[in-house]
Structure formats: C-alpha cells, structure tokens
Amino acid sequence: MFEFIRKADKSKRALLMTCFLAFFCNGASTLMMGSVMPDLEAAFGLSDTMGGLLISAHSAGNLAGGFLIGLLPLLMGQKKSVVLAMALGAAGFLMGCLWGNPAWLFAAFLLIGLSRGSITNFSNRLINRLSDGSPAASNLLHSSFAVGAIVAPMIFLVLAGWISWQAGMIFIVIIRLISALDMSRMKLEDDKPDRKQKKNSTLCFMKNPSFLILAMMMFCYLCSEYTINGWLVTFIQSKEQLVASFNGDQAAITAYSQSMATLLWAVILVGRLFCAAVSSKVHQKTLMMIASFGVLGFFALMLFSGTVTAVTVSVAGLGFCMAGICPMIYSDAAPFTNAYPMATGMILGIGSVGAIVMPTVVGALADSFGFTGGMSAILVTVLLLVVFAVLNRTVKPRYPEHTA
C-alpha cells in the first residue's frame, strides 16, 4: 500500500506530504461548513433555501477553481497559484465570522469553494504523476481528506462549547495559512508550463467515451457527497421520530448529529485505507461498481430510518461504500490526466455542476416538503451513479494512444 512512498526520493516525498496536508485542510474545511450551518442559519436568520445557496456557492467556486488552477500556472506558475488558492480559502472562512449579509456570505463560500477546487485539481494531478496513477496513492491522498473531515466536527463541538461557533472557523483559517506556508516551499520541476504546447490547453479528451463515463460518475458522486456533507447534521436534527427518542433533549440530538458527521468520515477513512490495500488484488473498476450499489442501499436506509440504531448503521455503511469512489475515479482517469493538464479540471468541473445544483434543490424541496422529501432527490443521482459504474466496468476503455 505504501510502496509508492518507499520508492520516492526525498524531494518527491516532500511533495507527497504537502499534498496530504493540503487535502487534510480541504477535508476539515468541507465538514466544518456542514457543522457550522445550523449555527450560521440561527445567528444570521437564514432560511434552509439560503443555506442551500451557500453550499451551492461553495460548489460553484469549486467548479471555477478546478478550471483556473489548470490555466493560472501558465501565467504565474503552479506554486504561486496554489498558495494563492489556499490563502483565499482562509479569507473565505474569516469572512464568514464577520458579517451575516447573504451576499457577503455567498462571496465567502465562493472563495472557500474556489480554494477547494484548486487544491483538489493540483493535488490529484501531482499524486497521479508521482505515483503513475496508483489507486493506492489516490486513496491515501483522499484518506488525508477524511482525517480532516473526522477532526473538524469534533473540534467544532469543543470550540463552540468553550468559546463560540466562530472559533471553529478561525481554526480552519489557521491551518490553511500553515498549509499555504508549506506550499510556498515546494520545489516543482515544471512550475510554469509552456503555453505554446497544445496539450497544456487542449480539450480533445472530451470526445473519448471512457473519459466521459468517468466524468459522469464524478458528477453523480459529487451531487451526493456535497449534499450529504452539507445537510447531514441538519437532516438528522429534522427527523421527528429520532428527535423524539431523545425526549426533546436538544443538546443530545445536536451532539448525536455532529457525531454522525464524524462517524461518516471515520468510516470513509477506513474504507479508503481498505481500498488502497485491496486495489492491487481487485481492479478499481470492479471496486467502484460494487461500492456504488452499496451507496444506493445504505442511502435509502438512512433516508427512511427513524431509529438511532438504523441511522447509525446506515451512515456507517454509506461512508464505507462512498469511501473509494472519488479517489479511484481520479486514478482510473490517470491516462487522461497525465497526458492532458486540463483533464483533471474537466472531471472536477463536470462533477461540480451537480454539486452546485443539488444542495440548493434539496434545500428548496426541504422548505416545501421537509428534509426527507428534499434528500429524496439524491436517490436519482445515486441510481445514475450505479448505471455509469456498471458501464465503466463493462465497456472496453479507450485511452490516449501515447499512454495506452
């Protein structure tokens, strides 16, 4: 599982660790948004629809960041680009602490998303290049995201209890600035790509069916992941039967819902380490197909469950099945992303379109039909994920000629 790290020289290991730290920050940032959403809505008097718009603003920024980080290095170099992106994410979280104006918050979440998309694109491309597209390497990279996602809700609970909900967001500002400093020390051989080389800006891979299947898998997956991350805490707190089982103890249901966010990512971490370990024995296409069926089953269970036991089991099962899908999409697409710098941005961009739309759709439906009705919309994208995962496993892949 760690073979690619053992084979790397000192400079490559330093780059790997920088990517892992950056992904840890992305994970902490993403789950912190979900944890803080109920407090943000209460403090500034925001509706669920507005909360959904903020999550969608993050997704829109993620989309833009995925593209910009593919083009901006042509002008200012990769290192300066990603350092700027990480700093913008810190600025976004700081903005969220200062003022509750909806337009201001929308801009803050946009910056956070811009930062996440840029770091996601850069780190996935670099890891694929350093490891020759190893699914173990990709799963370990995304495991560091899961570690951040596990830590963030716990830190939020502690800081919110001791100080205030704003303190949790300040924690993210600090770790992002630390990561930006770490990135500023990177040594990249091709820091500023040649703008004259056509491969650095071409989109010819968009005509390839194998690439499009992977891109649509990412679309369906990010629809589900972003919406679940953004609304999980609020969704659990809205379940009347579940709330009743806590005898109206609001502190208890709040702690339970936050712990479910932690559990989700704890199991995702275990699942990604599992996928990294077994990817040398079971093809990643097969793993993704099996996992997609699991996501469908456990999400349906979570949606319609009303007991603590059923919700806990469904969240754990959902996390384990979701775990390896995203990192293995990136590693499966390595023949494209290693050949074309814009390919990673396009996979992320297509996926982000769904991540932009779905949280707002769920929020709007929740205002009208309750959260069970709103979250039911995710079933459609999960079903499509299963369809594309089956196609990815059964259709013969067509790779770029010079990487086949």
CSV table of all heavy atoms in Angstrom, one decimal, residues 31-86:
chain,number,residue,atom,x,y,z
A,31,LEU,N,-16.2,19.7,6.1
A,31,LEU,CA,-17.0,19.3,7.2
A,31,LEU,C,-17.3,20.4,8.1
A,31,LEU,O,-18.4,20.4,8.8
A,31,LEU,CB,-16.4,18.1,7.9
A,31,LEU,CG,-16.9,16.7,7.4
A,31,LEU,CD1,-18.4,16.5,7.8
A,31,LEU,CD2,-16.8,16.6,5.9
A,32,MET,N,-16.4,21.3,8.3
A,32,MET,CA,-16.7,22.5,9.1
A,32,MET,C,-17.9,23.3,8.6
A,32,MET,O,-18.7,23.8,9.4
A,32,MET,CB,-15.5,23.4,9.2
A,32,MET,CG,-15.6,24.5,10.3
A,32,MET,SD,-15.7,23.9,12.0
A,32,MET,CE,-14.0,23.3,12.2
A,33,MET,N,-18.0,23.3,7.3
A,33,MET,CA,-19.2,24.1,6.7
A,33,MET,C,-20.5,23.4,7.1
A,33,MET,O,-21.5,24.0,7.5
A,33,MET,CB,-19.1,24.1,5.2
A,33,MET,CG,-18.0,25.1,4.7
A,33,MET,SD,-18.1,25.4,2.9
A,33,MET,CE,-17.9,23.7,2.3
A,34,GLY,N,-20.5,22.0,7.1
A,34,GLY,CA,-21.7,21.3,7.4
A,34,GLY,C,-22.0,21.5,8.9
A,34,GLY,O,-23.2,21.6,9.3
A,35,SER,N,-21.0,21.4,9.8
A,35,SER,CA,-21.1,21.5,11.2
A,35,SER,C,-21.6,22.9,11.6
A,35,SER,O,-22.4,23.0,12.5
A,35,SER,CB,-19.8,21.2,11.9
A,35,SER,OG,-19.4,19.9,11.7
A,36,VAL,N,-21.1,23.9,11.0
A,36,VAL,CA,-21.5,25.3,11.4
A,36,VAL,C,-22.8,25.8,10.8
A,36,VAL,O,-23.3,26.8,11.2
A,36,VAL,CB,-20.3,26.3,10.9
A,36,VAL,CG1,-20.4,26.6,9.5
A,36,VAL,CG2,-20.3,27.5,11.8
A,37,MET,N,-23.4,25.1,9.8
A,37,MET,CA,-24.5,25.5,9.1
A,37,MET,C,-25.7,25.8,10.0
A,37,MET,O,-26.4,26.9,9.9
A,37,MET,CB,-24.9,24.6,8.0
A,37,MET,CG,-26.0,25.1,7.1
A,37,MET,SD,-25.6,26.7,6.2
A,37,MET,CE,-24.3,26.1,5.1
A,38,PRO,N,-26.1,24.9,11.0
A,38,PRO,CA,-27.2,25.3,11.8
A,38,PRO,C,-27.0,26.5,12.6
A,38,PRO,O,-27.9,27.4,12.8
A,38,PRO,CB,-27.3,24.0,12.7
A,38,PRO,CG,-26.7,22.9,11.9
A,38,PRO,CD,-25.6,23.6,11.2
A,39,ASP,N,-25.7,26.7,13.1
A,39,ASP,CA,-25.4,27.9,13.9
A,39,ASP,C,-25.4,29.2,13.0
A,39,ASP,O,-25.8,30.3,13.5
A,39,ASP,CB,-24.1,27.8,14.6
A,39,ASP,CG,-24.1,26.7,15.6
A,39,ASP,OD1,-24.5,27.0,16.8
A,39,ASP,OD2,-23.6,25.6,15.3
A,40,LEU,N,-24.9,29.0,11.8
A,40,LEU,CA,-24.9,30.1,10.9
A,40,LEU,C,-26.3,30.6,10.5
A,40,LEU,O,-26.6,31.8,10.5
A,40,LEU,CB,-24.2,29.7,9.6
A,40,LEU,CG,-23.6,30.8,8.7
A,40,LEU,CD1,-22.4,31.5,9.4
A,40,LEU,CD2,-23.0,30.2,7.4
A,41,GLU,N,-27.2,29.6,10.3
A,41,GLU,CA,-28.6,30.0,10.0
A,41,GLU,C,-29.3,30.6,11.2
A,41,GLU,O,-30.0,31.6,11.0
A,41,GLU,CB,-29.4,28.7,9.6
A,41,GLU,CG,-29.0,28.1,8.2
A,41,GLU,CD,-29.8,27.0,7.8
A,41,GLU,OE1,-30.6,26.4,8.7
A,41,GLU,OE2,-29.8,26.6,6.6
A,42,ALA,N,-29.0,30.1,12.4
A,42,ALA,CA,-29.6,30.7,13.6
A,42,ALA,C,-29.1,32.1,13.9
A,42,ALA,O,-29.8,33.0,14.2
A,42,ALA,CB,-29.4,29.7,14.8
A,43,ALA,N,-27.8,32.2,13.8
A,43,ALA,CA,-27.1,33.5,14.1
A,43,ALA,C,-27.5,34.6,13.2
A,43,ALA,O,-27.7,35.8,13.6
A,43,ALA,CB,-25.6,33.4,14.1
A,44,PHE,N,-27.7,34.3,11.9
A,44,PHE,CA,-28.0,35.4,10.9
A,44,PHE,C,-29.4,35.3,10.3
A,44,PHE,O,-29.7,36.0,9.4
A,44,PHE,CB,-26.9,35.3,9.8
A,44,PHE,CG,-25.5,35.5,10.3
A,44,PHE,CD1,-24.5,34.6,9.9
A,44,PHE,CD2,-25.2,36.6,11.1
A,44,PHE,CE1,-23.2,34.8,10.3
A,44,PHE,CE2,-23.9,36.8,11.5
A,44,PHE,CZ,-22.9,35.9,11.1
A,45,GLY,N,-30.2,34.4,10.9
A,45,GLY,CA,-31.6,34.4,10.4
A,45,GLY,C,-31.8,33.9,9.0
A,45,GLY,O,-32.6,34.4,8.2
A,46,LEU,N,-31.0,32.9,8.6
A,46,LEU,CA,-31.0,32.4,7.2
A,46,LEU,C,-32.0,31.3,7.1
A,46,LEU,O,-32.2,30.4,8.0
A,46,LEU,CB,-29.6,31.9,6.8
A,46,LEU,CG,-28.5,32.9,6.9
A,46,LEU,CD1,-27.1,32.2,6.6
A,46,LEU,CD2,-28.7,34.1,6.1
A,47,SER,N,-32.7,31.2,5.9
A,47,SER,CA,-33.6,30.1,5.6
A,47,SER,C,-32.8,28.9,5.1
A,47,SER,O,-31.6,29.0,4.8
A,47,SER,CB,-34.6,30.5,4.6
A,47,SER,OG,-33.9,30.7,3.3
A,48,ASP,N,-33.5,27.7,5.1
A,48,ASP,CA,-32.8,26.5,4.5
A,48,ASP,C,-32.5,26.7,3.1
A,48,ASP,O,-31.5,26.2,2.6
A,48,ASP,CB,-33.7,25.3,4.7
A,48,ASP,CG,-33.8,24.8,6.1
A,48,ASP,OD1,-32.9,25.1,6.9
A,48,ASP,OD2,-34.8,24.2,6.5
A,49,THR,N,-33.3,27.4,2.3
A,49,THR,CA,-33.0,27.7,0.9
A,49,THR,C,-31.7,28.5,0.8
A,49,THR,O,-30.9,28.2,0.0
A,49,THR,CB,-34.2,28.5,0.3
A,49,THR,OG1,-35.4,27.7,0.3
A,49,THR,CG2,-33.9,28.8,-1.2
A,50,MET,N,-31.6,29.5,1.7
A,50,MET,CA,-30.3,30.3,1.7
A,50,MET,C,-29.1,29.5,2.0
A,50,MET,O,-28.0,29.6,1.5
A,50,MET,CB,-30.5,31.5,2.6
A,50,MET,CG,-29.3,32.5,2.5
A,50,MET,SD,-29.2,33.3,0.9
A,50,MET,CE,-27.4,33.4,0.7
A,51,GLY,N,-29.3,28.6,3.0
A,51,GLY,CA,-28.3,27.7,3.4
A,51,GLY,C,-27.8,26.8,2.2
A,51,GLY,O,-26.6,26.6,2.0
A,52,GLY,N,-28.8,26.3,1.5
A,52,GLY,CA,-28.5,25.5,0.3
A,52,GLY,C,-27.8,26.4,-0.8
A,52,GLY,O,-26.9,25.9,-1.5
A,53,LEU,N,-28.1,27.6,-0.9
A,53,LEU,CA,-27.4,28.5,-1.9
A,53,LEU,C,-26.0,28.7,-1.5
A,53,LEU,O,-25.1,28.8,-2.3
A,53,LEU,CB,-28.2,29.9,-1.9
A,53,LEU,CG,-29.5,29.9,-2.8
A,53,LEU,CD1,-30.2,31.2,-2.6
A,53,LEU,CD2,-29.2,29.6,-4.2
A,54,LEU,N,-25.7,28.8,-0.1
A,54,LEU,CA,-24.3,28.9,0.3
A,54,LEU,C,-23.5,27.7,0.0
A,54,LEU,O,-22.4,27.8,-0.5
A,54,LEU,CB,-24.3,29.2,1.8
A,54,LEU,CG,-24.9,30.5,2.3
A,54,LEU,CD1,-24.8,30.7,3.8
A,54,LEU,CD2,-24.2,31.7,1.6
A,55,ILE,N,-24.1,26.5,0.2
A,55,ILE,CA,-23.4,25.3,-0.2
A,55,ILE,C,-23.2,25.2,-1.7
A,55,ILE,O,-22.1,24.8,-2.2
A,55,ILE,CB,-24.2,24.1,0.3
A,55,ILE,CG1,-24.4,24.1,1.8
A,55,ILE,CG2,-23.5,22.8,-0.2
A,55,ILE,CD1,-25.3,23.0,2.4
A,56,SER,N,-24.2,25.7,-2.4
A,56,SER,CA,-24.0,25.7,-3.9
A,56,SER,C,-23.0,26.8,-4.3
A,56,SER,O,-22.3,26.6,-5.3
A,56,SER,CB,-25.4,26.1,-4.6
A,56,SER,OG,-26.3,25.0,-4.4
A,57,ALA,N,-22.9,27.9,-3.6
A,57,ALA,CA,-21.8,28.9,-3.9
A,57,ALA,C,-20.4,28.2,-3.7
A,57,ALA,O,-19.5,28.4,-4.5
A,57,ALA,CB,-21.9,30.1,-3.0
A,58,HIS,N,-20.3,27.4,-2.7
A,58,HIS,CA,-19.1,26.7,-2.5
A,58,HIS,C,-18.8,25.8,-3.7
A,58,HIS,O,-17.7,25.7,-4.2
A,58,HIS,CB,-19.2,25.9,-1.2
A,58,HIS,CG,-18.1,24.8,-1.0
A,58,HIS,ND1,-18.3,23.5,-1.4
A,58,HIS,CD2,-16.8,24.9,-0.6
A,58,HIS,CE1,-17.2,22.8,-1.1
A,58,HIS,NE2,-16.3,23.6,-0.6
A,59,SER,N,-19.8,25.1,-4.1
A,59,SER,CA,-19.7,24.2,-5.3
A,59,SER,C,-19.3,24.9,-6.6
A,59,SER,O,-18.5,24.5,-7.4
A,59,SER,CB,-21.0,23.4,-5.5
A,59,SER,OG,-21.3,22.6,-4.3
A,60,ALA,N,-19.9,26.1,-6.7
A,60,ALA,CA,-19.6,27.0,-7.9
A,60,ALA,C,-18.2,27.4,-7.9
A,60,ALA,O,-17.5,27.4,-8.9
A,60,ALA,CB,-20.5,28.2,-7.9
A,61,GLY,N,-17.7,27.8,-6.7
A,61,GLY,CA,-16.3,28.1,-6.5
A,61,GLY,C,-15.4,26.9,-6.8
A,61,GLY,O,-14.3,27.1,-7.4
A,62,ASN,N,-15.8,25.8,-6.4
A,62,ASN,CA,-15.1,24.5,-6.6
A,62,ASN,C,-14.9,24.3,-8.1
A,62,ASN,O,-13.9,23.9,-8.6
A,62,ASN,CB,-15.8,23.4,-5.9
A,62,ASN,CG,-15.0,22.1,-6.0
A,62,ASN,OD1,-13.9,22.0,-5.5
A,62,ASN,ND2,-15.6,21.0,-6.5
A,63,LEU,N,-16.0,24.5,-8.8
A,63,LEU,CA,-16.0,24.4,-10.3
A,63,LEU,C,-15.0,25.3,-10.9
A,63,LEU,O,-14.2,24.9,-11.7
A,63,LEU,CB,-17.4,24.6,-10.8
A,63,LEU,CG,-17.6,24.7,-12.4
A,63,LEU,CD1,-17.2,23.4,-13.0
A,63,LEU,CD2,-19.0,25.1,-12.7
A,64,ALA,N,-15.1,26.6,-10.5
A,64,ALA,CA,-14.2,27.6,-11.1
A,64,ALA,C,-12.7,27.3,-10.8
A,64,ALA,O,-11.8,27.4,-11.6
A,64,ALA,CB,-14.6,29.0,-10.6
A,65,GLY,N,-12.5,26.9,-9.5
A,65,GLY,CA,-11.1,26.6,-9.1
A,65,GLY,C,-10.5,25.5,-9.8
A,65,GLY,O,-9.3,25.5,-10.2
A,66,GLY,N,-11.3,24.4,-10.2
A,66,GLY,CA,-10.8,23.3,-10.9
A,66,GLY,C,-10.3,23.7,-12.3
A,66,GLY,O,-9.3,23.1,-12.8
A,67,PHE,N,-11.0,24.7,-12.9
A,67,PHE,CA,-10.5,25.2,-14.2
A,67,PHE,C,-9.4,26.1,-14.1
A,67,PHE,O,-8.4,26.1,-14.8
A,67,PHE,CB,-11.7,25.8,-15.0
A,67,PHE,CG,-12.7,24.8,-15.5
A,67,PHE,CD1,-14.0,24.8,-15.1
A,67,PHE,CD2,-12.3,24.0,-16.5
A,67,PHE,CE1,-14.9,23.9,-15.6
A,67,PHE,CE2,-13.2,23.1,-17.0
A,67,PHE,CZ,-14.5,23.0,-16.6
A,68,LEU,N,-9.5,27.1,-13.2
A,68,LEU,CA,-8.5,28.1,-13.1
A,68,LEU,C,-7.1,27.6,-12.7
A,68,LEU,O,-6.1,28.1,-13.2
A,68,LEU,CB,-8.9,29.2,-12.0
A,68,LEU,CG,-10.0,30.1,-12.4
A,68,LEU,CD1,-10.4,31.0,-11.2
A,68,LEU,CD2,-9.6,31.0,-13.6
A,69,ILE,N,-7.0,26.6,-11.9
A,69,ILE,CA,-5.7,26.0,-11.5
A,69,ILE,C,-5.1,25.3,-12.7
A,69,ILE,O,-3.9,25.0,-12.6
A,69,ILE,CB,-5.9,25.1,-10.3
A,69,ILE,CG1,-4.5,25.0,-9.5
A,69,ILE,CG2,-6.4,23.7,-10.7
A,69,ILE,CD1,-4.1,26.3,-8.9
A,70,GLY,N,-5.8,25.0,-13.7
A,70,GLY,CA,-5.2,24.4,-14.9
A,70,GLY,C,-4.7,25.5,-15.8
A,70,GLY,O,-3.8,25.2,-16.6
A,71,LEU,N,-5.2,26.7,-15.7
A,71,LEU,CA,-4.8,27.8,-16.6
A,71,LEU,C,-3.9,28.8,-16.0
A,71,LEU,O,-2.9,29.3,-16.6
A,71,LEU,CB,-6.0,28.5,-17.2
A,71,LEU,CG,-6.9,27.6,-18.1
A,71,LEU,CD1,-8.2,28.4,-18.4
A,71,LEU,CD2,-6.2,27.2,-19.3
A,72,LEU,N,-4.1,29.1,-14.7
A,72,LEU,CA,-3.4,30.1,-14.0
A,72,LEU,C,-1.9,29.9,-13.9
A,72,LEU,O,-1.1,30.8,-14.0
A,72,LEU,CB,-3.9,30.3,-12.6
A,72,LEU,CG,-3.6,31.6,-11.8
A,72,LEU,CD1,-4.1,32.8,-12.7
A,72,LEU,CD2,-4.3,31.6,-10.5
A,73,PRO,N,-1.4,28.6,-13.8
A,73,PRO,CA,0.0,28.3,-13.8
A,73,PRO,C,0.7,28.8,-15.0
A,73,PRO,O,1.9,29.0,-15.0
A,73,PRO,CB,0.1,26.8,-13.6
A,73,PRO,CG,-1.1,26.5,-12.8
A,73,PRO,CD,-2.2,27.4,-13.4
A,74,LEU,N,0.0,28.8,-16.2
A,74,LEU,CA,0.6,29.3,-17.4
A,74,LEU,C,1.0,30.7,-17.3
A,74,LEU,O,1.9,31.2,-18.0
A,74,LEU,CB,-0.4,29.1,-18.6
A,74,LEU,CG,-0.9,27.7,-18.9
A,74,LEU,CD1,-2.0,27.7,-20.0
A,74,LEU,CD2,0.3,26.9,-19.4
A,75,LEU,N,0.4,31.5,-16.4
A,75,LEU,CA,0.7,32.9,-16.2
A,75,LEU,C,1.7,33.2,-15.0
A,75,LEU,O,2.6,34.0,-15.1
A,75,LEU,CB,-0.6,33.7,-16.0
A,75,LEU,CG,-1.6,33.6,-17.2
A,75,LEU,CD1,-2.9,34.4,-16.8
A,75,LEU,CD2,-1.0,34.2,-18.4
A,76,MET,N,1.4,32.5,-13.9
A,76,MET,CA,2.2,32.8,-12.7
A,76,MET,C,2.9,31.6,-12.0
A,76,MET,O,3.5,31.7,-11.0
A,76,MET,CB,1.3,33.5,-11.7
A,76,MET,CG,0.0,32.7,-11.3
A,76,MET,SD,-1.1,33.6,-10.2
A,76,MET,CE,-0.1,34.0,-8.8
A,77,GLY,N,2.8,30.4,-12.7
A,77,GLY,CA,3.4,29.3,-12.1
A,77,GLY,C,2.5,28.5,-11.2
A,77,GLY,O,1.6,29.1,-10.6
A,78,GLN,N,2.8,27.2,-11.0
A,78,GLN,CA,1.9,26.4,-10.2
A,78,GLN,C,2.0,26.7,-8.7
A,78,GLN,O,1.0,26.8,-8.0
A,78,GLN,CB,2.3,24.9,-10.4
A,78,GLN,CG,2.0,24.4,-11.8
A,78,GLN,CD,2.3,22.9,-11.9
A,78,GLN,OE1,1.5,22.1,-11.5
A,78,GLN,NE2,3.4,22.5,-12.5
A,79,LYS,N,3.2,26.9,-8.2
A,79,LYS,CA,3.4,27.1,-6.8
A,79,LYS,C,2.6,28.4,-6.3
A,79,LYS,O,1.9,28.4,-5.3
A,79,LYS,CB,4.9,27.2,-6.4
A,79,LYS,CG,5.1,27.4,-4.9
A,79,LYS,CD,6.5,27.1,-4.5
A,79,LYS,CE,7.5,28.1,-5.1
A,79,LYS,NZ,8.9,27.9,-4.6
A,80,LYS,N,2.9,29.5,-7.0
A,80,LYS,CA,2.2,30.8,-6.6
A,80,LYS,C,0.7,30.6,-6.7
A,80,LYS,O,-0.1,31.2,-5.9
A,80,LYS,CB,2.7,31.9,-7.5
A,80,LYS,CG,4.1,32.3,-7.2
A,80,LYS,CD,4.5,33.5,-8.1
A,80,LYS,CE,6.0,33.9,-7.8
A,80,LYS,NZ,6.4,35.0,-8.7
A,81,SER,N,0.2,29.9,-7.7
A,81,SER,CA,-1.2,29.7,-7.9
A,81,SER,C,-1.9,29.0,-6.8
A,81,SER,O,-2.9,29.4,-6.3
A,81,SER,CB,-1.5,28.9,-9.2
A,81,SER,OG,-1.0,29.6,-10.4
A,82,VAL,N,-1.3,27.9,-6.3
A,82,VAL,CA,-1.9,27.1,-5.3
A,82,VAL,C,-1.8,27.7,-3.9
A,82,VAL,O,-2.6,27.6,-3.0
A,82,VAL,CB,-1.4,25.6,-5.2
A,82,VAL,CG1,-1.8,24.9,-6.4
A,82,VAL,CG2,0.1,25.6,-5.0
A,83,VAL,N,-0.7,28.5,-3.7
A,83,VAL,CA,-0.5,29.2,-2.4
A,83,VAL,C,-1.6,30.3,-2.4
A,83,VAL,O,-2.2,30.5,-1.3
A,83,VAL,CB,0.9,29.9,-2.4
A,83,VAL,CG1,0.9,30.9,-1.2
A,83,VAL,CG2,2.0,28.8,-2.2
A,84,LEU,N,-1.8,31.0,-3.5
A,84,LEU,CA,-2.9,32.0,-3.5
A,84,LEU,C,-4.3,31.4,-3.2
A,84,LEU,O,-5.1,31.9,-2.5
A,84,LEU,CB,-2.9,32.7,-4.9
A,84,LEU,CG,-4.1,33.7,-5.1
A,84,LEU,CD1,-4.0,34.8,-4.1
A,84,LEU,CD2,-4.0,34.2,-6.6
A,85,ALA,N,-4.5,30.2,-3.9
A,85,ALA,CA,-5.8,29.5,-3.7
A,85,ALA,C,-6.0,29.1,-2.2
A,85,ALA,O,-7.1,29.3,-1.7
A,85,ALA,CB,-5.8,28.2,-4.6
A,86,MET,N,-5.0,28.6,-1.6
A,86,MET,CA,-5.1,28.2,-0.2
A,86,MET,C,-5.4,29.4,0.7
A,86,MET,O,-6.2,29.3,1.6
A,86,MET,CB,-3.8,27.5,0.3
A,86,MET,CG,-3.9,26.9,1.7
A,86,MET,SD,-5.2,25.6,1.9
A,86,MET,CE,-4.3,24.2,1.2
